[in-house]
Amino acid sequence: MNRREFATCSIAAAAGVALSPRSGYAADTFSTAQIPGSVPDSLVNEARFPEGFLWGTATASYQVEGAWNEDGKGESIWDRFTHTPGKVRGGVTGDVACDQYHLYAQDIAMAKRLNQKSQRFSISWPRIQPTGVGAPNMKGLDHYSRFVDALLAAGIRPWCTMYHWDLPQALEDRGGWPNRDLANYFADYAGILAKHLGDRITVWAPFNMPWAIAFMGYAAGAAPPCRSSFSDFLKAAHTLALAQAEAHRAVKAASPQATFGSAYEMAPAYPKTDSEDDRAAAARYHAMNNVFFLEAAMHGRYPKAFVGEPPYEMMGFKVGDEKLLYAPLDWVGFHYYTRRIVADASKEKFLGGGNFSGTEIESNSPGGRDPYTRFRAAMPTEGPLTDSGLEVWPRGIYDLVTQISKDYNHPIIEITESGCGYLDSPDEQGRVPDTRRLQWYREVLAELARAIADGARVRAYHAWTLLDNFQWAEGYTERYGLIYTDFRSQKRTIKDSGLWYGRVAVSNRLDV
Ligand code: FCB
């Protein structure tokens, strides 16, 4: 089931949703009238971003690089998964993807043409350590060294995610993330990156979407290594939180100029009704899905994500781990795609999980998504859906940014990913008039500008993504790029949204 099919199933869940009333602007100023959740043109036209705001895009190694077995690279869990028949839509792989391993100079030139100032990319761990441990593979390091030099030469800030899901298969064979030893292996790897690239990269984040790594891979079985054990999920989450902090220390030790942050998935959680139970369930969702790893880093503890006491024993939590978890971030990075409606399920009998689709995980099953958090989370369908099946809800980014800003004492914030999947392709003139994507960005960015105007210290926005790429288990059936990729010829065509985003980047306004 992909996101769209799932969304159709969740219409029932959305009915009866009781959201708190909109605030901040009057409903009668809507010009895109009648589209629930849409933003008035006046807000778009008046939006301004601060001087020096960092406009960027985000990518991930496995989704764009290809060259899956070149220059000494080891096998990753995504190589294993995509090479297993029946796992990916259309039976495709990321063996070639956008071939960016070879075509990076051209892609960076296109980013420059779009006036980009920041490129979030990820490094493939098995290119650096083919089995996840031991001496680095210099050919892998050399590749990223050239890549970073090319970004700097183009005036683009290199922003490095150390891990965007492509675990060396050899480490999965040693037990994967539920094995606590991986925290130290990861710290070694982080130290290697900082030692060799830290003279030029100063912006680091350990994990893309740590909650998803743990839950999708080890509880939902929806992504590699496709295990279905709630206790493995909890153990994996704890190892990832430890690894986040160990990597923080390793990076800072190897590179004095390093700054360390995050790339968390977040979705604002609204209670399904105003009942105390639903409000408590929405708070648990926020604690588990949005700030679990943030709280661990900032305060050395886990937030109240569970009904009752946290299952410390199940997590493999040891005395003294609080100290190890603590690693205050220099800035806070998180994604925005859509929102969630959350209902309590703690009074029902738990029957075992829910429906899982793509990178978005929902649950409508009795008793909730897992035996510990006991809520049901659904993506409503009140607003229109993108072609990838996610609800368009611009207001969510305002609510999320202002909440994180308030709860964490006004940190510097970077939006690490934000975007929408639409399938527009080149017309006869070779133009890609992707008006829905352009409108999505106009409205989401207008809401972000409003959060900034209200005091949030947001310094960067990374659109997901620079160019259409391999979209995980959905293969090549979803397109999130500002640039269209023809996967047969590797020809790139800048979409209308990309041209517009390039103008936004020089003017810091949206009415361009
Ligand atoms: C996010 C992932 C990213 C991409 C987008 C569409 O959840 O981090 O790699 O697939 O979804």
Side-chain angles (χ1 to χ4, degrees):
M1 187 186 283
N2 71 12
R3 292 174 181 181
R4 192 162 359 142
E5 286 157 351
F6 178 78
T8 326
C9 300
S10 57
I11 288 174
V17 158
L19 285 174
S20 46
R22 305 170 65 97
S23 60
Y25 44 81
D28 59 5
T29 58
F30 276 44
S31 70
T32 16
Q34 323 322 340
I35 303 180
S38 68
V39 165
D41 271 348
S42 56
L43 199 71
V44 173
N45 296 338
E46 285 155 18
R48 298 290 178 274
F49 287 81
E51 179 102 16
F53 190 78
L54 292 161
W55 295 97
T57 61
T59 60
S61 50
Y62 190 74
Q63 294 181 273
V64 295
E65 285 180 350
W68 78 279
N69 59 358
E70 277 183 48
D71 289 345
K73 176 179 166 293
E75 186 191 17
S76 79
I77 56 174
W78 271 91
D79 294 317
R80 180 71 61 94
F81 179 79
T82 60
H83 294 159
T84 307
K87 295 291 189 190
V88 178
R89 191 173 289 263
V92 298
T93 71
D95 289 2
V96 178
C98 305
D99 200 21
Q100 193 180 74
Y101 193 76
H102 302 112
L103 301 178
Y104 68 89
Q106 168 188 327
D107 289 344
I108 291 170
M110 289 186 106
K112 184 179 178 189
R113 227 178 110 194
L114 297 182
N115 307 311
Q116 300 302 290
K117 287 283 172 284
S118 180
Q119 182 64 51
R120 175 172 170 245
F121 66 98
S122 82
I123 291 185
S124 161
W125 188 350
R127 287 197 195 283
I128 307 301
Q129 291 175 297
T131 60
V133 295
N137 166 30
M138 291 316 291
K139 282 192 172 166
L141 279 170
D142 287 348
H143 168 75
Y144 291 108
S145 182
R146 287 190 297 270
F147 183 84
V148 167
D149 284 345
L151 285 174
L152 290 170
I156 299 174
R157 174 184 72 158
W159 193 123
C160 178
T161 315
M162 294 182 256
Y163 180 95
H164 200 128
W165 302 358
D166 38 4
L167 183 71
Q169 179 63 42
L171 288 186
E172 178 52 32
D173 297 341
R174 293 191 188 200
W177 288 110
N179 174 1
R180 188 179 167 112
D181 293 347
L182 262 72
N184 289 328
Y185 298 146
F186 185 74
D188 290 344
Y189 161 64
I192 291 171
L193 296 186
K195 177 171 170 224
H196 290 269
L197 301 167
D199 55 335
R200 286 155 292 154
I201 301 177
T202 58
V203 185
W204 301 91
F207 297 111
N208 180 67
M209 302 171 61
W211 179 84
I213 297 168
F215 200 90
M216 282 166 46
Y218 295 93
C226 304
R227 287 201 239 158
S228 317
S229 151
F230 288 120
S231 67
D232 279 353
F233 151 59
L234 291 175
K235 288 191 180 66
H238 188 46
T239 308
L240 287 159
L242 291 167
Q244 165 179 259
E246 296 296 356
H248 183 287
R249 289 184 276 275
V251 166
K252 295 266 174 159
S255 172
Q257 33 172 358
T259 70
F260 195 93
S262 58
Y264 302 131
E265 70 262 54
M266 291 197 192
Y270 305 86
K272 180 166 180 177
T273 72
D274 207 27
S275 73
E276 210 170 293
D277 284 350
D278 283 352
R279 281 190 279 125
R284 291 199 300 280
Y285 178 98
H286 183 69
M288 183 78 248
N289 281 64
N290 294 347
V291 298
F292 195 76
F293 298 92
L294 179 56
E295 195 76 6
M298 295 303 211
H299 301 300
R301 63 169 183 238
Y302 291 126
K304 292 195 173 57
F306 308 104
V307 172
E309 277 303 299
Y312 285 128
E313 208 172 308
M314 184 81 81
M315 299 176 93
F317 198 100
K318 293 188 190 162
V319 179
D321 278 359
E322 306 83 344
K323 288 202 189 70
L324 297 179
L325 291 174
Y326 180 67
L329 306 182
D330 299 308
W331 44 271
V332 179
F334 53 90
H335 307 352
Y336 179 71
Y337 286 93
T338 189
R339 63 171 175 160
R340 288 287 180 281
I341 303 296
V342 183
D344 179 51
S346 66
K347 312 248 165 8
E348 303 156 4
K349 195 168 178 310
F350 178 72
L351 291 183
N355 305 309
F356 307 102
S357 63
T359 53
E360 303 297 324
I361 297 182
E362 332 246 334
S363 170
N364 285 317
S365 72
R369 191 176 66 188
D370 65 67
Y372 309 103
T373 54
R374 306 300 306 273
F375 55 69
R376 287 194 301 267
M379 186 197 66
T381 52
E382 192 186 346
L385 303 185
T386 66
D387 286 349
S388 301
L390 300 190
E391 189 201 26
V392 180
W393 201 258
R395 169 65 192 257
I397 195 168
Y398 176 87
D399 291 340
L400 186 60
V401 165
T402 47
Q403 181 171 3
I404 296 297
S405 202
K406 177 165 100 4
D407 293 352
Y408 291 90
N409 197 21
H410 301 282
I412 294 170
I413 290 173
E414 297 223 3
I415 303 300
T416 36
E417 274 181 35
S418 183
C420 49
Y422 290 107
L423 291 168
D424 309 277
S425 52
D427 62 18
E428 278 126 45
Q429 286 75 46
R431 200 184 128 202
V432 186
D434 58 336
T435 44
R436 294 171 300 171
R437 176 176 291 98
L438 206 155
Q439 186 63 13
W440 191 96
Y441 279 115
R442 274 164 54 90
E443 296 193 17
V444 167
L445 286 167
E447 289 287 0
L448 181 63
R450 197 159 70 85
I452 295 171
D454 286 355
R457 295 167 66 205
V458 184
R459 76 170 176 206
Y461 180 88
H462 298 89
W464 181 272
T465 177
L466 180 64
L467 72 172
D468 297 337
N469 57 42
F470 177 82
Q471 182 51 36
W472 308 115
E474 305 307 328
Y476 296 101
T477 64
E478 295 185 354
R479 291 180 176 271
Y480 277 86
L482 294 171
I483 297 173
Y484 181 89
T485 307
D486 179 332
F487 293 103
R488 286 174 211 277
S489 63
Q490 292 299 344
K491 180 169 187 266
R492 277 79 157 131
T493 307
I494 300 175
K495 302 179 189 179
D496 281 3
S497 60
L499 297 169
W500 171 82
Y501 194 65
R503 294 195 295 275
V504 169
V506 277
S507 62
N508 290 324
R509 50 200 293 167
L510 306 174
D511 55 343
V512 289

